[in-house]
Amino acid sequence: MGWLQGDVAIVTGGGSGLGRAVVERFLNEGARVGVLEKSAEKLAKLEADLGDAVVGIQGDVTSYADNVRVVGETVARFGKLDTFIGNAAIWDFSTKLVDLPEETMDRLFDEMFHVNVKGYLLGARAAARALAATGGSIIFTVSNAGFYPGGGGPLYTASKHAVVGLIKELAFELGPKIRVNGVAPGGMLTDLRGPGSLGLGDTSIASVPLADLVKQCTVLQQLPEAADYAGNYVLLASKTNSSASTGVIINCDGGMGVRGLAEIAGGNDL
Ligand SMILES: NC(=O)c1ccc[n+]([C@@H]2O[C@H](COP(=O)([O-])OP(=O)(O)OC[C@H]3O[C@@H](n4cnc5c(N)ncnc54)[C@H](O)[C@@H]3O)[C@@H](O)[C@H]2O)c1
């Protein structure tokens, strides 16, 4: 039997990359999943590939009405909600402070924080009552950028640090009925896009030489696949296996926090 047998979850941004990997893994663990996703094309593919155990809702995480809709339609279809996973985000392609365009900086800030931070807040608000009814939990996707500089520019890094704050505050406020945790992955080749206000709405992180970069700055020296991170969500969602965990963030970034002050060794004698 799967770890999430009979559970119902929502994943935002479940149309590609990490979100899609989490949806597939949750189905394999026995859950049914509602997905809030802005790309109609990705949603159509998701539903065609995965069938009736998934309900896709096209919408934008920055809209409270769309968050309410995904909760309503998921509960209507599957009867309840056990886990809400805030995951949709955009990246700033490591645009440094001095390179932020003065004319569009305001819009850029709003776009980044609206998707990456407000999206999670609205989703949590929309899902809270349904989650309280099942003793459920919230999981937010953070990033290495929630802890360390250099994985983005100031806007992405600040937005992911804000997500860490949101997890702690909501874990405090929503207990004892709802657990609130996070997963902080390192790099992976996905379709992660940039802000439209930087002209990067159609550019994906796959255009960056991520494998070399991640190899240089992680102890494990490898670029994981999105699916390699999905088990962390299963663990935190599982009422049996994580009943004592709230306010926890799993850093699964290949060891960025333990890389030490010396050059990372090319290997060892083991
Ligand atoms: N790719 C990486 O290297 C990396 C590293 C650390 C953390 N992350 C985090 O992983 C999470 C998932 O990103 P990914 O890398 O899988 O990228 P992705 O673009 O493949 O997946 C994100 C999905 O969210 C959707 N989306 C974007 N904005 C939306 C909006 N406003 N409303 C609804 N849906 C929207 C996209 O269409 C896409 O399907 C993000 O929180 C990201 O910050 C990614």
Side-chain angles (χ1 to χ4, degrees), residues 11 41 74 90 131 143 234 249:
V11 180
E41 206 182 322
T74 302
I90 51 175
L131 292 172
S143 163
V234 174
I249 299 173

Side-chain angles (χ1 to χ4, degrees), residues 13 16 18 37-38 60-61 87 89 156 160 186 188 190-192:
S16 69
L18 180 58
E37 166 63 55
K38 75 171 185 190
D60 194 312
V61 295
N87 170 75
Y156 184 74
K160 289 298 186 178
M188 68 198 116
T190 63
D191 194 26
L192 187 62

Side-chain angles (χ1 to χ4, degrees), residues 186-249:
M188 68 198 116
L189 286 178
T190 63
D191 194 26
L192 187 62
R193 305 284 180 95
S197 48
L198 256 188
L200 293 171
D202 293 325
T203 310
S204 109
I205 196 171
S207 62
V208 172
L210 206 59
D212 297 342
L213 213 66
V214 168
K215 207 172 165 197
Q216 280 164 24
C217 67
T218 65
V219 174
L220 296 183
Q221 299 184 35
Q222 62 186 0
L223 184 66
E225 304 279 333
D228 296 331
Y229 297 110
N232 297 292
Y233 293 81
V234 174
L235 173 65
L236 290 173
S238 166
K239 290 173 185 163
T240 310
N241 296 292
S242 283
S243 64
S245 298
T246 197
V248 168
I249 299 173

Side-chain angles (χ1 to χ4, degrees), residues 8-10 12 34-36 55 57 64-81 83-84 122-131:
V8 178
I10 286 173
T12 72
V35 171
L36 177 58
V55 57
I57 285 88
Y64 186 58
D66 287 352
N67 278 285
V68 169
R69 204 153 52 84
V70 70
V71 172
E73 292 193 24
T74 302
V75 172
R77 173 80 78 93
F78 300 131
K80 60 170 181 159
L81 181 65
T83 309
F84 178 88
L122 299 183
R125 181 70 177 86
R129 225 169 273 287
L131 292 172

